[in-house]
Amino acid sequence: MNVRECIVSAPGKAILHGEHAVVHGKVALAVSLNLRTYLWLKASAPGKVCINLPNIATFMSWELSDLKLLAPESCGKRDESKLLDAELVRRLREFIGVTNGNLDTHSMATLAFLYIYLSLFGSGDLPSLTVTVWSELPTGAGLGSSAAFSVCLAAGLLSASGAISTPLRDFDNTARWCQEDMELINSWAFQGEKIIHGNPSGVDNAVGTWGGILRFLSGKIIPLSRVPLLRILLTNTKVPRSTKVLVARVKDKINKFPSIMTPVLDSVDAISCTCERILAEMTSQPITGEHYNALEELIDINQHHLNVMGVGHPTLDTLCRVTQARGLHSKLTGAGGGGCGITLLRPETDSSIVQSTIQDLKDCGFDCWETSIGGPGVQQHSPASVKGEILEIFSQY
Amino acid sequence: MNVRECIVSAPGKAILHGEHAVVHGKVALAVSLNLRTYLWLKASAPGKVCINLPNIATFMSWELSDLKLLAPESCGKRDESKLLDAELVRRLREFIGVTNGNLDTHSMATLAFLYIYLSLFGSGDLPSLTVTVWSELPTGAGLGSSAAFSVCLAAGLLSASGAISTPLRDFDNTARWCQEDMELINSWAFQGEKIIHGNPSGVDNAVGTWGGILRFLSGKIIPLSRVPLLRILLTNTKVPRSTKVLVARVKDKINKFPSIMTPVLDSVDAISCTCERILAEMTSQPITGEHYNALEELIDINQHHLNVMGVGHPTLDTLCRVTQARGLHSKLTGAGGGGCGITLLRPETDSSIVQSTIQDLKDCGFDCWETSIGGPGVQQHSPASVKGEILEIFSQY
């Protein structure tokens, strides 16, 4: 079986508002982050399946004959894509030598790839193919890098299998799939996320698939119909933290001071809802400075609330102070306690201010990118639409 | 008529929790601040009434014969002490040449003194007396300096008039009045406050009179029965601000984002109530580190909420950061937007840490005092119980 070469990409994810509060039944807004993961799928030497993950120095190759032995009996059917095939996962773990406690990125990425590959192709001819993935996202920073990877795998392999179309037409730079195909991509990406994370919320793969902004409430994920693209800085303080520990810390604080903390969660809920309303206005009315003033105020208020919840960190205070000194507004995004923060840029924010701010933040020891939120989800690319530096990486494999 | 010499003092005031929220019907805790105002009353040369306010370089002297002409017809009766005698105020303003718009400290202090003096003595013999007042409180910093002044005036002049007892017995260092006398002091002090401020809430004079901690809700002021004495640092950022502008700013923000801000006010209310409960526990149970941990957490949370209300200031952020670096917790007190902040000290906080912190804060350009909150209200002193530096100031007049 021959596969058609294709390039796909999926965005990362940030939480605009509602992190932590979402655990307690409040609304959160998850947004696509235009630091993207790119996947290049091409035919390989016959009888071989290869995956190249240069970001994490992982280069694996298997014989089709070996993989064939692991394939599940039934596979690739749409209605089966919701539940993980536990038996296949067990066989794959054994095959690549992953013990239960081993959760390193390298093994999890390999496992997710083989799982989706075998699930989609295992009942028929296994195609000889090579998948190369390059990501602009830092891993383990709460930016949905594993979901962007899973979405790319699902989109690339589903296209290769013919289960979904390849939407790119001649002369297109990029193209997106129809609703039905995206649902299938999302569903298989969720499988990948389950393998990597165990019990994911499904938000990260939904953002990677649909892009834009999603409203997340009590497990229900609803994409907002139209959203503006917002310029931001994404800053990684590089302070490692445990989401589990931070979630527990918030819970403890709520238990300790229920009458004080419950209204704070209500206020965060109202921030998400107010932000949603403002974003909707920004697509239905001319965008004004007032819209941005309000978005900035919401960011400041929520950052204080997150500090009240006990998930701040001195580096995040530094981020806020440094950007405030340039007239910019920041908040942590995700779990907090270090990790990443976002800084809103206004349309009129001068490039010199942006560059100075990035330099200030780098001087603090942080990584910092100028990017945007609210952009498209998974898409197929013509090679011409992919940045030269990424094509150059791809050309090495 | 001869007056008996006496020395009285009254504390300043700080808001422990609930500033701004109190304007919107939430509980506030007002506490006595042990930076005190001292008043020394003694007989003067016959036919003369003098007031010396060396803090504000004000030294006034009047002939009894002139004052006699201003005296109201009826005066000094307890049941009349609630309403201001508008006619007397008008005559006094004319006498000392205060136009309506003139609100300088010097004129207001003089007016309050003459009003209480003439109200209490005007119907009988006017006594020849000199009042000298020295305050440890900065003026105009929201620390109730005018109320401490009014309370001292009321206590000193009521004692001199015989309307209340002079509670100090031989060999006592300090003494306080009975409940009934304190109510009279408070009521006359409120008159002084009305002259100085126009429409005071009555909290400042109540704190100056009763001391300790008062619960303030919808105009009702209730002293907490027993409260612990808490060591604090009081820092004056010296950034001038307008309470009126700040109150309006909070109101605007509530109007702009009602669903976000209303829960924040509810949370502040819960902070005041929780703090009240913890303070009560600290007098009924052995005080533990947990009590102080909780007080610190409440301070941090409320400081964030005050920032959310928009009444923070970069200097207050600096105060919090500098003290946090020494393991201490701070919040603004009062109107915010500059002004003063309080820093809780634990019983075990080492003097060297306190001294270094004070130095750090002075290096930021702030004034800083080590003092306490929750101490006694108005009291009479034996000269021996007054600090030497204050006696020395008094001895000059």
Side-chain angles (χ1 to χ4, degrees):
Chain A
M1 182 182 172
N2 272 335
V3 292
R4 218 172 4 157
E5 185 168 338
C6 75
I7 301 175
V8 299
S9 78
K13 171 223 63 171
I15 301 292
L16 183 52
H17 288 296
E19 48 272 274
H20 286 289
V22 73
V23 177
H24 303 276
K26 307 301 176 187
V27 173
L29 297 181
V31 299
S32 68
L33 178 69
N34 207 27
L35 297 174
R36 302 181 75 90
T37 296
Y38 291 83
L39 177 145
W40 179 42
L41 185 148
K42 61 167 185 175
S44 62
K48 292 273 189 191
V49 169
C50 311
I51 185 164
N52 301 307
L53 309 173
N55 292 93
I56 55 170
T58 295
F59 308 95
M60 306 286 286
S61 176
W62 301 276
E63 299 294 329
L64 278 188
S65 51
D66 292 339
L67 294 179
K68 190 77 197 167
L69 302 172
L70 300 163
E73 277 163 36
S74 71
C75 60
K77 297 203 190 82
R78 290 183 179 206
D79 56 349
E80 287 188 345
S81 60
K82 303 262 166 183
L83 279 170
L84 215 53
D85 179 341
E87 179 52 28
L88 176 57
V89 174
R90 195 197 57 72
R91 282 200 304 272
L92 287 173
R93 283 179 166 272
E94 200 176 284
F95 177 64
I96 62 170
V98 179
T99 57
N100 268 324
N102 187 346
L103 296 168
D104 66 273
T105 313
H106 154 88
S107 305
M108 291 302 108
T110 306
L111 209 55
F113 166 68
L114 287 176
Y115 180 88
I116 298 176
Y117 173 81
L118 286 173
S119 297
L120 292 179
F121 296 104
S123 65
D125 269 355
L126 289 185
S128 305
L129 57 79
T130 292
V131 156
T132 303
V133 181
W134 176 258
S135 185
E136 297 169 339
L137 288 159
T139 56
L143 299 177
S145 62
S146 71
F149 173 71
S150 295
V151 169
C152 284
L153 279 183
L157 293 170
L158 281 165
S159 295
S161 79
I164 60 173
S165 62
T166 45
L168 199 74
R169 300 285 155 260
D170 290 349
F171 314 114
D172 278 353
N173 279 322
T174 59
R176 308 200 63 208
W177 287 266
C178 66
Q179 192 74 5
E180 201 186 1
D181 287 351
M182 296 234 279
E183 270 160 25
L184 196 62
I185 293 172
N186 186 44
S187 152
W188 279 102
F190 191 35
Q191 303 286 64
E193 280 283 90
K194 281 184 193 162
I195 288 172
I196 298 171
H197 286 299
N199 190 24
S201 68
V203 166
D204 290 13
N205 49 281
V207 170
T209 304
W210 308 109
I213 304 186
L214 306 182
R215 175 185 233 265
F216 184 44
L217 172 63
S218 307
K220 264 183 68 182
I221 299 164
I222 302 167
L224 305 194
S225 51
R226 293 180 60 203
V227 292
L229 191 72
L230 300 174
R231 286 172 78 193
I232 65 155
L233 296 181
L234 189 281
T235 300
N236 186 358
T237 66
K238 298 191 277 185
V239 174
R241 72 277 177 275
S242 152
T243 300
K244 212 166 125 184
V245 167
L246 290 159
V247 167
R249 189 186 294 170
V250 174
K251 204 171 171 188
D252 287 350
K253 206 149 182 186
I254 295 170
N255 287 338
K256 189 171 179 188
F257 298 123
S259 60
I260 296 168
M261 295 305 295
T262 306
V264 174
L265 298 176
D266 290 340
S267 184
V268 172
D269 192 72
I271 289 170
S272 293
C273 296
T274 304
C275 184
E276 192 181 326
R277 182 176 53 71
I278 294 166
L279 295 171
E281 270 185 30
M282 290 172 80
T283 61
S284 64
Q285 298 173 9
I287 295 176
T288 68
E290 279 308 305
H291 289 126
Y292 275 93
N293 293 346
L295 291 179
E296 287 173 349
E297 277 192 82
L298 297 183
I299 285 173
D300 290 343
I301 295 174
N302 201 353
Q303 177 62 16
H304 285 300
H305 286 352
L306 288 159
N307 274 310
V308 164
M309 292 182 213
V311 298
H313 191 271
T315 54
L316 294 166
D317 295 341
T318 300
L319 165 63
C320 291
R321 199 168 57 253
V322 165
T323 55
Q324 182 65 64
R326 301 271 182 193
L328 303 172
H329 299 252
S330 306
K331 68 178 276 290
L332 70 84
T333 179
C340 292
I342 52 175
T343 305
L344 185 66
L345 302 175
R346 301 171 74 113
E348 70 272 20
T349 305
D350 197 76
S351 153
S352 67
I353 292 195
V354 174
Q355 292 314 315
S356 322
T357 309
I358 292 174
Q359 193 52 54
D360 291 348
L361 292 168
K362 288 186 172 169
D363 291 346
C364 296
F366 304 152
D367 289 338
C368 186
W369 297 265
E370 183 181 358
T371 179
S372 61
I373 54 178
V378 64
Q379 53 189 9
Q380 191 184 355
H381 291 263
S382 70
S385 73
V386 178
K387 293 174 204 168
E389 63 209 70
I390 292 170
L391 287 181
E392 196 164 323
I393 291 163
F394 282 168
S395 71
Q396 296 166 30
Y397 305 98
Chain B
M1 182 182 171
N2 272 334
V3 291
R4 209 155 32 139
E5 184 168 340
C6 75
I7 301 176
V8 299
S9 77
K13 170 224 63 170
I15 302 291
L16 183 52
H17 289 296
E19 50 272 271
H20 287 289
V22 73
V23 176
H24 303 276
K26 308 301 175 186
V27 173
L29 298 180
V31 299
S32 68
L33 178 70
N34 208 25
L35 297 174
R36 302 181 75 90
T37 295
Y38 291 83
L39 176 146
W40 179 42
L41 185 149
K42 62 168 185 176
S44 62
K48 293 272 190 192
V49 169
C50 312
I51 185 164
N52 302 307
L53 309 173
N55 293 94
I56 54 170
T58 296
F59 308 96
M60 306 286 286
S61 177
W62 301 275
E63 298 295 332
L64 278 188
S65 51
D66 292 339
L67 293 180
K68 191 75 195 168
L69 302 172
L70 301 163
E73 278 165 34
S74 71
C75 61
K77 298 205 190 81
R78 289 184 180 208
D79 56 349
E80 286 187 341
S81 60
K82 303 263 168 183
L83 279 170
L84 214 53
D85 179 340
E87 179 51 30
L88 176 57
V89 175
R90 196 197 56 74
R91 283 201 302 273
L92 287 173
R93 283 179 166 274
E94 199 176 284
F95 177 64
I96 61 171
V98 179
T99 56
N100 268 326
N102 188 346
L103 297 167
D104 67 273
T105 313
H106 153 89
S107 305
M108 292 301 109
T110 306
L111 208 56
F113 166 69
L114 286 176
Y115 180 89
I116 299 176
Y117 173 82
L118 285 173
S119 297
L120 292 178
F121 296 106
S123 63
D125 269 354
L126 288 184
S128 306
L129 55 80
T130 291
V131 156
T132 303
V133 181
W134 175 257
S135 184
E136 298 169 337
L137 287 161
T139 56
L143 298 176
S145 62
S146 70
F149 172 73
S150 294
V151 169
C152 283
L153 280 183
L157 293 170
L158 281 165
S159 294
S161 78
I164 61 173
S165 62
T166 46
L168 199 74
R169 300 286 154 261
D170 291 349
F171 314 117
D172 277 353
N173 279 322
T174 60
R176 309 201 60 210
W177 287 266
C178 67
Q179 192 72 6
E180 202 187 0
D181 287 352
M182 296 235 278
E183 271 160 23
L184 197 60
I185 293 171
N186 186 44
S187 151
W188 279 101
F190 192 35
Q191 305 284 66
E193 279 283 87
K194 281 183 192 162
I195 288 172
I196 298 172
H197 286 299
N199 189 24
S201 67
V203 166
D204 290 15
N205 49 282
V207 170
T209 304
W210 307 108
I213 303 185
L214 306 182
R215 176 185 231 265
F216 184 46
L217 173 62
S218 308
K220 265 183 66 182
I221 299 165
I222 303 166
L224 305 193
S225 53
R226 293 180 60 204
V227 291
L229 191 71
L230 300 174
R231 287 173 78 193
I232 63 153
L233 296 182
L234 189 281
T235 301
N236 187 0
T237 65
K238 297 192 277 185
V239 173
R241 72 275 174 277
S242 153
T243 300
K244 213 165 122 185
V245 167
L246 290 159
V247 167
R249 189 187 296 173
V250 174
K251 204 171 170 188
D252 286 349
K253 206 150 183 187
I254 296 170
N255 288 339
K256 188 170 179 189
F257 298 124
S259 60
I260 296 169
M261 296 305 295
T262 306
V264 173
L265 298 176
D266 289 340
S267 183
V268 171
D269 192 73
I271 289 170
S272 293
C273 296
T274 305
C275 185
E276 191 181 328
R277 182 175 54 69
I278 293 166
L279 294 171
E281 269 184 31
M282 290 172 80
T283 61
S284 64
Q285 298 173 10
I287 295 176
T288 68
E290 279 308 305
H291 288 126
Y292 276 93
N293 293 346
L295 291 179
E296 288 174 349
E297 279 191 81
L298 297 184
I299 285 173
D300 290 342
I301 296 174
N302 201 353
Q303 176 63 15
H304 284 299
H305 285 353
L306 288 159
N307 274 310
V308 165
M309 292 182 214
V311 299
H313 190 271
T315 54
L316 294 165
D317 295 340
T318 300
L319 164 64
C320 290
R321 200 168 56 252
V322 165
T323 55
Q324 183 64 64
R326 302 271 183 194
L328 304 172
H329 299 252
S330 305
K331 68 177 277 289
L332 69 84
T333 180
C340 292
I342 53 174
T343 305
L344 185 66
L345 302 175
R346 300 172 74 111
E348 70 272 21
T349 305
D350 197 77
S351 152
S352 67
I353 292 194
V354 175
Q355 291 314 314
S356 322
T357 309
I358 292 174
Q359 193 53 54
D360 291 347
L361 292 168
K362 288 185 171 169
D363 291 346
C364 296
F366 305 152
D367 289 339
C368 185
W369 298 265
E370 184 181 357
T371 180
S372 61
I373 54 177
V378 64
Q379 53 189 10
Q380 191 184 356
H381 291 264
S382 70
S385 72
V386 178
K387 293 172 204 168
E389 64 209 68
I390 291 169
L391 287 180
E392 197 164 320
I393 291 163
F394 282 168
S395 70
Q396 296 166 31
Y397 305 98

